[in-house]
Amino acid sequence: MKMTCGKNLFLQILWCFSLIGLSSQAQNYTFVVTEVKYTRLCSTKNILTVNGEFPGPTIRATRGDTIFVDVYNKGNFNITLHWHGVKQPRNPWTDGPSYITQCPIQPGRKFTQRLIFTFEEGTIWWHAHSEWLRATVYGAIYIYPNKNTPYPFPQPDAEIPIIFGEWWTSDVNEVFRQSMESGAAPSVSDALTINGQPGDLLPCSSPETFKLNVEQGKTYHLRVINAAVNLILFFSVSQHNLTVVAADAVYSRPFTRDYICISPGQAMDVLLHANQEPGHYYLAARAYSSGVGVAFDNTTTTARIEYSGNYTPPSSPSLPNLPDFNDTRAALDFITNLRGLPERAPSQVPKNITTQIVTTISVNTLPCPNGRTCQGPNGTIFAASMNNISFDTPNIDILKAYYYHINGVFKPGFPRFPPFIFNFTGDFLPITLNTPKQGTRVNVLNYGATVEIVFQGTNLVGGIDHPIHLHGYSFHVVGYGLGNFNQSVDPMNFNLVDPPYLNTVVVPINGWAAIRFEAVNPGVWFMHCHLERHQSWGMETVFIVKDGESENLRLPPPPPDMPPC
């Protein structure tokens, strides 16, 4: 395959080839970020897109490929792009989170981003990673097995994208800006979408509803992505079961249910067997929102499953039976029954843990600054934290500061244990616990450390489920529980045999989740809640993984066209 590296400068050519030994092939994509008019829900507005498409273009790769994406920013906003679930070995430089691994690509500028695939097989995705631009800037990534390597399930007859999203009739940038200025919770979206379309049940939407034409007796590979900004979702297909065969681009034990629970950031490979009587059936999705008093988009988005053949279709397909919006038991039943496939797992579960971290994840409030009127609870500002630190995003990226030893950008010493011990999930908690510290604290890990993290949800301000995503790594999810994590008892029930291997884990409301991984990817890696409002409020931290001893275990220099701050 032909490989292009942008400008024909020696340094760029050198950078393009510096890690080529890590991959089997290389190809090139061009992404042009630009504003385009789109009409949904009876109104038209400009949205930011890639190549004018919503959702954006699909990247297709084979296991072990390297891909170069030339990103041209022809929009009116600073932007970064993140390749969600791509491990990027020794290549945090093009991972994408704004002011963590790079400064944004400014309007009129270009940045060539390298995607280094390793063990990923299945479905993941890409999205903007600056402010709330990912509301419309996102797309799928399909990674196929190497030639002559079969799937660990029967070969499907066709593959179909099912990408969930959220749509605001107003300008989503204004939604973000007003929320941050007022300190209030952001306005909820006006519709959920499937492949960019709200579906039959929403105004002015029926003609464009996504339709999946199927033949009786065939099997369809649904490449499912939750690109919603702030919502975990239940989805189902009327009168059909769904079989999950991979999650976050790692194969899992086949797992069949009549509904699926999927959080923002997660991707799943799902088999739909067209084994019902020929007819029309709805695929439908709606929110799972467990927070008491938390506003959410309660619309239902639909797509149509339409069998081929001669028959009289119903005037209106039936909707599937979805769990109630606050059915935590249904969500947990799905989440906790997902299992890994050890014979195809990329790594074994670490047994001898050298670095143990317990971190609370909380919604908080901050005092209203003098001279402002704030609309958070009791006149405060909404905030969020990990271990009582609300992350303060710097104005120069942390990766650059780390690599070039620039002082004053971040501080080490992120707590590895909650600074305050209390009944984290209690119904009545002292209001004095609501206010976190603010800072840019990072976790520093030695190369090769075996890490266990327990995420402990709290009921400060209000409990809710939190999807936590770690860049640069996947991890074994070894345990879940409700209530407060018990270090003496709960680890005895960890699944160290066949845990799922994910890049995004759902921490249940007023409960906990435990993950394990080995820190063998040097660099700077972001960890954050994938509910965008919580990330905006500070529910995040950064891991800095030190270099290994040999040259091929060290962080290489940055590419020559890194965006300036």
Side-chain angles (χ1 to χ4, degrees), residues 372-433:
R372 283 179 57 182
T373 300
C374 299
Q375 299 174 17
N378 301 313
T380 62
I381 293 174
F382 268 115
S385 66
M386 289 185 170
N387 268 349
N388 205 46
I389 296 176
S390 187
F391 192 82
D392 190 7
T393 303
N395 55 17
I396 178 175
D397 59 285
I398 291 173
L399 177 56
K400 181 185 298 179
Y402 168 65
Y403 188 80
Y404 290 109
H405 307 287
I406 301 172
N407 294 326
V409 177
F410 66 88
K411 291 182 179 180
F414 180 88
R416 294 191 173 176
F417 198 74
F420 304 112
I421 303 301
F422 55 95
N423 180 8
F424 301 116
T425 58
D427 290 332
F428 302 101
L429 297 174
I431 197 169
T432 53
L433 294 171

Side-chain angles (χ1 to χ4, degrees), residues 122-136:
T123 306
I124 45 178
W125 62 304
W126 59 267
H127 60 82
H129 213 304
S130 42
E131 298 185 346
W132 281 25
L133 298 180
R134 78 170 179 88
T136 58

Side-chain angles (χ1 to χ4, degrees), residues 239-531:
Q239 299 181 43
H240 292 71
N241 285 331
L242 298 167
T243 300
V244 179
V245 293
D248 289 352
V250 176
Y251 296 119
S252 57
R253 293 196 189 280
F255 172 47
T256 301
R257 283 287 191 274
D258 57 358
Y259 70 91
I260 283 172
C261 183
I262 185 170
S263 79
Q266 288 185 318
M268 295 181 186
D269 293 82
V270 178
L271 301 182
L272 170 69
H273 302 290
N275 55 10
Q276 298 301 304
E277 289 297 316
H280 291 186
Y281 301 86
Y282 271 136
L283 185 156
R286 69 183 181 201
Y288 163 55
S289 184
S290 58
V292 176
V294 177
F296 66 96
D297 181 343
N298 65 355
T299 62
T300 299
T301 182
T302 56
R304 283 175 171 259
I305 311 293
E306 299 185 351
Y307 279 71
S308 60
N310 295 317
Y311 58 89
T312 302
S315 57
S316 178
S318 62
L319 285 167
N321 293 318
L322 287 164
D324 291 337
F325 76 88
N326 60 353
D327 194 340
T328 295
R329 185 177 296 276
L332 269 177
D333 180 67
F334 179 86
I335 292 165
T336 58
N337 277 287
L338 188 65
R339 293 286 185 270
L341 197 64
E343 57 268 31
R344 296 290 288 265
S347 72
Q348 294 183 336
V349 184
K351 301 297 198 305
N352 298 315
I353 301 302
T354 62
T355 303
Q356 191 167 44
I357 299 169
V358 178
T359 178
T360 52
I361 47 177
S362 306
V363 176
N364 304 100
T365 57
L366 289 167
C368 187
N370 291 333
R372 283 179 57 182
T373 300
C374 299
Q375 299 174 17
N378 301 313
T380 62
I381 293 174
F382 268 115
S385 66
M386 289 185 170
N387 268 349
N388 205 46
I389 296 176
S390 187
F391 192 82
D392 190 7
T393 303
N395 55 17
I396 178 175
D397 59 285
I398 291 173
L399 177 56
K400 181 185 298 179
Y402 168 65
Y403 188 80
Y404 290 109
H405 307 287
I406 301 172
N407 294 326
V409 177
F410 66 88
K411 291 182 179 180
F414 180 88
R416 294 191 173 176
F417 198 74
F420 304 112
I421 303 301
F422 55 95
N423 180 8
F424 301 116
T425 58
D427 290 332
F428 302 101
L429 297 174
I431 197 169
T432 53
L433 294 171
N434 286 358
T435 305
K437 294 182 178 180
Q438 294 177 279
T440 312
R441 291 278 182 178
V442 306
N443 274 291
V444 179
L445 299 175
N446 290 325
Y447 184 91
T450 49
V451 183
E452 178 182 282
I453 306 176
V454 176
F455 301 103
Q456 174 67 63
T458 81
N459 204 25
L460 292 174
V461 181
I464 198 169
D465 298 73
H466 298 284
I468 304 295
H469 171 51
L470 176 60
H471 292 222
Y473 289 87
S474 285
F475 43 73
H476 302 274
V477 184
V478 296
Y480 296 95
L482 295 176
N484 299 322
F485 177 73
N486 186 321
Q487 183 65 56
S488 301
V489 176
D490 289 324
M492 291 189 292
N493 296 317
F494 281 178
N495 176 9
L496 304 181
V497 177
D498 61 351
Y501 198 54
L502 307 176
N503 63 57
T504 303
V505 60
V506 178
V507 182
I509 179 172
N510 290 334
W512 56 269
I515 69 171
R516 291 183 176 186
F517 66 95
E518 188 177 4
V520 290
N521 190 8
V524 170
W525 304 108
F526 200 27
M527 184 173 76
H528 60 93
C529 183
H530 224 279
L531 300 180

